[in-house]
């Protein structure tokens, strides 16, 4: 009986040790990268007509920039998040150096640290980080020449900006 108890103690110690190591393996120190979609941007012939069409037929609450989708972040149902949908004029240069007709904006955390890591990984950084009250932005290129916008949002300020413009969100 003592051998069985001893073996169970060793087994339990091993399992608890493995669980502790897994819980403390430094994953909290690893850089979290993309946390969600911040926006979808695309080129079209007439952005105003496109916004009107999506408003009339699909119910998006549009403004001069497109539409903002409001949602709640993960398990914290008190913390709002936002994603932007924006049609751009087909002649826009905003997507350059990409020649594609779309650009995706990804929400990220710790943009400054992330950009340093991306530089180490030889990712093309298109511009410098720009800061606004509603967040920080930078553009990178993927391996197929798609320009990507990274956004470290300040959702509280983003919501204030929308309210100051008297804009409704699409929920």
């Amino acid at each position: 009986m003592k051998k069985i108890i001893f073996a169970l103690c060793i087994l339990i110690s091993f399992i608890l040790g493995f669980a502790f190591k897994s819980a403390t393996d430094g994953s909290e120190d690893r850089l979290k990268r993309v946390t969600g979609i911040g926006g979808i941007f695309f080129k079209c012939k007439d952005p105003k007509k496109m916004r009107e069409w999506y408003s009339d037929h699909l119910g998006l609450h549009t403004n001069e920039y497109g539409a903002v989708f409001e949602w709640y972040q993960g398990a914290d149902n008190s913390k709002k998040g936002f994603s932007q949908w924006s049609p751009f004029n087909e002649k826009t240069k905003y997507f350059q150096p990409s020649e594609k007709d779309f650009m995706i904006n990804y929400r990220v955390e710790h943009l400054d640290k992330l950009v340093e890591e991306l530089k180490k990984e030889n990712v093309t950084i298109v511009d410098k980080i720009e800061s606004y009250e509603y967040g920080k932005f930078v553009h990178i290129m993927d391996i197929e020449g798609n320009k990507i916008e990274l956004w470290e949002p300040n959702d509280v300020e983003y919501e204030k900006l929308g309210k100051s413009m008297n804009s409704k969100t699409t929920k």
Side-chain angles (χ1 to χ4, degrees):
M1 184 68 170
K2 287 182 182 180
K3 288 183 180 181
I4 293 174
I5 292 173
F6 180 72
L8 282 173
C9 287
I10 290 176
L11 180 62
I12 290 170
S13 297
F14 175 79
I15 291 170
L16 289 175
F18 182 78
F20 178 77
K21 183 178 183 332
S22 296
T24 61
D25 69 353
S27 60
E28 61 273 13
D29 295 332
R30 280 188 285 198
L31 187 60
K32 191 170 187 179
R33 299 209 177 209
V34 171
T35 62
I37 300 293
I40 305 291
F41 310 127
F42 61 95
K43 294 179 183 180
C44 63
K45 292 180 190 226
D46 189 334
K48 184 177 184 220
K49 283 185 180 176
M50 188 66 77
R51 291 189 304 268
E52 289 172 359
W53 189 93
Y54 274 85
S55 177
D56 293 344
H57 300 288
L58 296 180
L60 271 63
H61 293 287
T62 59
N63 60 39
E64 64 182 298
Y65 301 105
V68 175
F69 291 89
E70 178 182 320
W71 43 271
Y72 289 91
Q73 298 186 34
D76 186 350
N77 64 3
S78 68
K79 192 174 179 184
K80 288 183 184 177
F82 301 93
S83 298
Q84 178 72 39
W85 172 90
S86 294
F88 280 73
N89 185 285
E90 66 186 342
K91 294 181 180 168
T92 186
K93 303 221 184 287
Y94 188 62
F95 299 0
Q96 288 183 352
S98 175
E99 295 179 15
K100 306 294 171 86
D101 289 337
F102 69 92
M103 182 173 65
I104 298 175
N105 168 301
Y106 292 103
R107 296 169 60 95
V108 300
E109 293 180 339
H110 313 293
L111 185 60
D112 297 299
K113 290 179 185 178
L114 177 56
V115 167
E116 290 306 313
E117 285 299 311
L118 294 173
K119 285 179 181 176
K120 291 177 191 173
E121 297 166 3
N122 296 315
V123 172
T124 300
I125 312 296
V126 176
D127 47 21
K128 293 182 181 177
I129 295 173
E130 291 191 31
S131 296
Y132 302 90
E133 289 179 5
Y134 53 90
K136 297 178 184 177
F137 297 85
V138 73
H139 297 94
I140 64 172
M141 300 294 286
D142 73 13
I143 60 172
E144 290 196 4
N146 297 303
K147 186 176 178 183
I148 298 167
E149 187 171 67
L150 301 178
W151 174 34
E152 181 182 330
N154 178 336
D155 288 307
V156 171
E157 292 300 320
Y158 191 77
E159 183 174 32
K160 286 180 187 176
L161 177 65
K163 286 180 178 180
S164 74
M165 295 171 41
N166 204 24
S167 294
K168 292 183 179 180
T169 57
T170 301
K171 299 178 186 180

